[in-house]
């Protein structure tokens, strides 16, 4: 298992003074930060594997912060986004939150308000990444099952007893037991309950991504 | 002449008062942009100061970094002051003097404000200023007010357009007759045919919250300078407003 590189706070704002002052503020409390002057520059340079969070100005010439957020959503990005808004931008902030922004903050902001949000966003990102890796592992194990084992797993998670499975598949109960043991072993599950949870987590995750993308595409 | 017609000097004073009121109203409409523009240096100042506080609290010995931040605070304070100075110039009490003026300079003075207003409404504003314009003799504040009125109208007209089709061009040039022409062209829906004929009449408006005085006052100002203000539909479907002013040698 690979260890994530150190988390970085990415600041995207078109105003040079806002960018460098925010970077210094983050640095002064020991948080490494990286700045980009436009949404495009962020897209061109940001590595999705890089853990951290984004502090994003809602109004920028060219691609706005909201447009960047939608693009990131379409790409299935998991990095939490904290929006920075000016006065009177509340409708924009609401829209950002509806599209899954982590939080928002009004300019000018108190250091503690920014730092608290950044801290929580970084924690959220770390949890997201662990969950993503875990799902990835389950997916890999699932893919390693033979078609017959996959069939057995589906019946197991639907709570069918061995006797019924044997009848359904036209094999002996002994054969079912052997497959069953192999499924548990390959999936790394120590109980039927754990196995069911793994499969459910995966289903929900893939379902959520699909609906999210479909919703956005339909807009 | 009837008794109902006020003497010209009274009309003149009325126009000036209306111009000032219109200018204040424009500033009100542009408040979001102004607030946004001021917020940038304020945000930077607050962040630099808080960063210095953290650095000192943690016993940082990097004095160069702290001094740099302090210098930035000064620079951003001055930047905020400059924004306010520009605003004050635009809302100062009416000045009746007409002076020899380069129209490009007038536009440069209000450029920052106009660009911010365009930006907060997601509008692209381009300036195309003719390199050498004949000078005009004008009341600077009044002419700036006309330009701002036209720009505000364009920004509002573009609100109904998708962001990638929100474009304004502000252009200056000299006409073959030697007049100075200033034009504002947008890619909005254009002026409704039903009101085109009454466009410059007072109290005619298509804005939900408009008083319908902007264009009427603008035309009065331009005509008081012996110029003309007219509307031209653009080929793209948008609106074009342009006004001409006689050059100084023309004896205004």
């Amino acid at each position: 298992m690979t260890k994530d590189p150190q988390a970085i706070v990415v600041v995207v704002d078109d105003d040079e003074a806002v960018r460098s002052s925010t970077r210094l503020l983050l640095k002064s409390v020991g948080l490494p930060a990286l700045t980009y002057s436009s949404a495009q520059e962020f897209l061109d340079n940001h590595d999705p594997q890089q853990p951290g969070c984004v502090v994003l100005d809602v109004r920028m010439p060219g691609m706005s912060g909201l447009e960047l957020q939608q693009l990131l959503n379409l790409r299935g990005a998991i990095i939490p986004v904290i929006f920075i808004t000016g006065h009177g931008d509340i409708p924009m902030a609401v829209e950002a939150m509806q599209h899954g922004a982590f939080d928002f903050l009004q300019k000018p902001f108190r250091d503690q308000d920014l730092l608290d949000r950044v801290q929580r966003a970084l924690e959220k990102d770390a949890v997201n990444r662990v969950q993503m890796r875990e799902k990835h592992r389950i997916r890999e194990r699932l893919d390693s099952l033979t078609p017959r084992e996959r069939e057995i797993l589906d019946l197991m998670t639907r709570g069918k007893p061995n006797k019924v499975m044997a009848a359904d598949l036209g094999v002996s109960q002994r054969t079912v037991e052997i497959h069953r043991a192999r499924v548990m072993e390959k999936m790394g599950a120590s109980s039927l309950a754990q196995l069911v949870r793994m499969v459910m987590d995966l289903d929900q995750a893939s379902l959520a991504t699909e609906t999210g993308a479909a919703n956005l595409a339909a807009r | 002449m009837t008794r109902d017609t006020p003497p010209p000097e009274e009309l003149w004073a009325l126009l000036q008062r209306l111009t000032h009121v219109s200018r204040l109203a424009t500033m009100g409409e542009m408040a979001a942009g102004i607030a946004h523009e001021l917020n940038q240096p304020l945000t930077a100042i607050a962040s630099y100061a808080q960063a210095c506080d953290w650095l000192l609290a943690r016993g940082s010995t990097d004095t160069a970094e702290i001094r740099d931040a302090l210098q930035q605070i000064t620079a951003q304070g001055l930047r905020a002051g400059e924004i306010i100075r520009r605003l004050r110039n635009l809302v100062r009490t009416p000045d009746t003097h007409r002076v020899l003026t380069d129209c490009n300079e007038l536009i440069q003075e209000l450029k920052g404000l106009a660009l911010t207003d365009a930006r907060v409404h997601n509008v692209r504003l381009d300036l195309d200023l003719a390199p050498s314009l004949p000078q005009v003799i004008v009341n600077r504040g009044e002419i700036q007010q006309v330009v701002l009125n036209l720009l505000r109208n364009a920004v509002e007209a573009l609100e109904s357009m998708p962001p990638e089709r929100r474009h304004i061009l502000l252009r200056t040039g000299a006409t073959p007759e030697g007049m100075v022409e200033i034009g504002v062209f947008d890619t909005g829906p254009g002026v409704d045919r039903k009101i085109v004929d009454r466009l410059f009449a007072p109290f005619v408006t298509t804005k939900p919250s408009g008083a319908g005085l902007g264009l009427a006052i603008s035309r009065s100002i331009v005509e008081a300078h012996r110029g003309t203000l007219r509307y031209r539909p653009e080929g793209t479907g948008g609106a074009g407003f342009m006004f001409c002013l006689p050059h100084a040698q023309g004896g205004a």
Side-chain angles (χ1 to χ4, degrees):
Chain A
M1 195 179 120
T2 51
K3 178 88 178 75
D4 277 332
Q6 197 190 7
I8 287 183
V9 184
V10 183
V11 179
V12 188
D13 196 304
D14 63 305
D15 193 289
E16 214 279 319
V18 173
R19 258 192 333 268
S20 62
S21 61
T22 312
R23 182 180 48 211
L24 186 66
L25 178 56
L26 291 163
K27 189 187 159 204
S28 71
V29 294
L31 286 167
L34 205 73
T35 62
Y36 295 119
S37 62
S38 69
Q40 195 55 53
E41 201 190 342
F42 171 85
L43 285 171
D44 290 345
N45 295 289
H46 182 68
D47 170 13
Q49 301 301 315
Q50 169 64 51
C53 68
V54 184
V55 175
L56 181 57
D57 187 18
V58 77
R59 287 183 193 276
M60 287 185 289
M63 191 188 300
S64 75
L66 286 179
E67 287 166 319
L68 175 61
Q69 180 194 27
Q70 303 211 356
L71 207 67
L72 288 175
N73 281 345
L74 274 174
R75 292 183 179 185
I78 56 164
I79 192 159
V81 177
I82 300 166
F83 274 97
I84 305 288
T85 69
H87 288 295
D89 283 341
I90 297 301
M92 272 177 150
V94 170
E95 194 181 340
M97 293 306 288
Q98 281 168 346
H99 288 140
F102 180 74
D103 213 333
F104 75 96
L105 202 57
Q106 273 202 344
K107 273 183 191 176
F109 41 77
R110 278 180 194 285
D111 52 356
Q112 208 54 55
D113 290 342
L114 174 73
L115 301 175
D116 285 349
R117 282 170 174 80
V118 163
Q119 210 59 58
R120 282 190 290 113
L122 292 178
E123 283 160 19
K124 176 82 163 43
D125 184 61
V127 171
N128 284 350
R129 282 174 198 277
V130 167
Q131 283 176 351
M132 274 248 300
R133 264 201 302 275
E134 179 61 22
K135 280 179 188 133
H136 186 67
R137 251 195 328 267
I138 298 172
R139 166 66 57 193
E140 272 179 352
R141 290 176 194 166
L142 207 61
D143 290 344
S144 75
L145 299 183
T146 64
R148 175 46 54 105
E149 286 163 358
R150 189 61 207 261
E151 232 170 352
I152 298 276
L153 175 129
D154 287 345
L155 293 169
M156 282 168 77
T157 53
R158 269 151 50 197
K160 302 260 179 171
N162 289 1
K163 206 192 286 178
V164 179
M165 281 194 233
D168 281 1
L169 300 173
V171 295
S172 73
Q173 221 166 304
R174 174 74 194 134
T175 310
V176 169
E177 272 161 31
I178 293 169
H179 282 309
R180 208 182 154 118
R182 197 162 301 137
V183 167
M184 294 294 282
E185 189 195 11
K186 279 190 173 175
M187 293 300 292
S190 52
S191 67
L192 180 59
Q194 197 190 350
L195 184 75
V196 170
R197 199 165 52 237
M198 280 181 183
V199 175
M200 270 173 52
D201 281 354
L202 208 58
D203 279 355
Q204 267 167 9
S206 51
L207 206 67
T209 343
E210 279 158 26
T211 0
N215 281 346
L216 269 171
R219 293 176 64 86
Chain B
M1 276 286 162
T2 69
R3 276 182 312 163
D4 295 314
T5 313
E9 59 272 25
E10 267 182 43
L11 276 178
W12 186 235
L14 180 65
L15 174 62
Q16 285 188 330
R17 281 206 301 280
L18 273 175
T19 305
H20 190 58
V21 169
S22 157
R23 192 198 314 258
L24 295 178
T26 310
M27 291 298 141
E29 288 170 20
M30 292 171 96
I34 295 164
H36 179 84
E37 205 184 348
L38 268 175
N39 243 343
Q40 305 286 42
L42 293 181
T43 303
I45 289 170
S47 295
Y48 278 126
Q50 295 172 115
C52 285
D53 195 18
W54 279 104
L55 288 170
L56 291 171
R58 298 173 134 220
S60 166
T61 51
D62 190 346
T63 50
E65 187 171 54
I66 294 172
R67 284 196 61 198
D68 184 54
L70 291 172
Q71 283 162 13
Q72 286 297 327
I73 290 174
T74 309
Q76 294 303 314
L78 294 174
R79 176 184 169 193
E82 186 52 42
I83 295 168
I84 292 175
R85 196 163 17 255
R86 278 209 323 264
L87 275 175
R88 281 185 59 91
N89 282 341
L90 287 168
V91 294
R92 67 190 160 220
T93 41
D95 178 353
T96 53
H97 293 303
R98 293 193 179 183
V99 291
L100 200 60
T101 301
D102 175 350
C103 283
N104 286 343
E105 257 178 54
L106 283 187
I107 290 172
Q108 289 295 350
E109 277 180 21
L110 54 81
K111 189 174 104 176
L113 189 63
L115 284 173
T116 311
D117 186 47
R119 201 177 88 164
V120 300
H121 291 91
N122 235 324
V123 170
R124 200 177 95 218
L125 170 61
D126 288 327
L127 270 59
D128 177 12
L129 307 183
S132 58
L133 280 180
Q135 295 209 305
V136 290
I137 296 178
V138 296
N139 180 311
R140 296 170 65 94
E142 287 178 5
I143 297 303
Q144 283 181 328
Q145 180 54 28
V146 174
V147 176
L148 279 179
N149 271 344
L150 298 181
L151 286 173
R152 276 303 312 158
N153 284 349
V155 166
E156 290 193 12
L158 288 168
E159 268 174 7
S160 59
M161 307 301 285
E164 67 277 8
R165 293 205 40 212
R166 296 181 186 177
H167 186 196
I168 299 176
L169 175 65
L170 171 58
R171 198 167 60 202
T172 62
T175 68
E177 299 80 40
M179 308 266 280
V180 172
E181 187 175 66
I182 300 175
V184 174
F185 309 90
D186 68 56
T187 55
V191 174
D192 190 336
R193 286 181 124 181
K194 276 179 280 187
I195 69 157
V196 155
D197 296 338
R198 294 174 291 132
L199 194 53
F200 295 98
F203 311 117
V204 172
T205 183
T206 53
K207 302 177 193 175
S209 60
L213 284 174
L215 282 177
I217 291 172
S218 295
R219 174 171 266 187
S220 303
I221 291 173
V222 171
E223 288 177 353
H225 283 83
R226 303 207 306 156
T228 52
L229 167 64
R230 59 205 166 82
Y231 165 70
R232 182 181 84 189
E234 288 300 285
T236 53
F241 284 90
M242 59 221 83
F243 64 97
C244 291
L245 297 170
H247 67 81
Q249 276 74 33

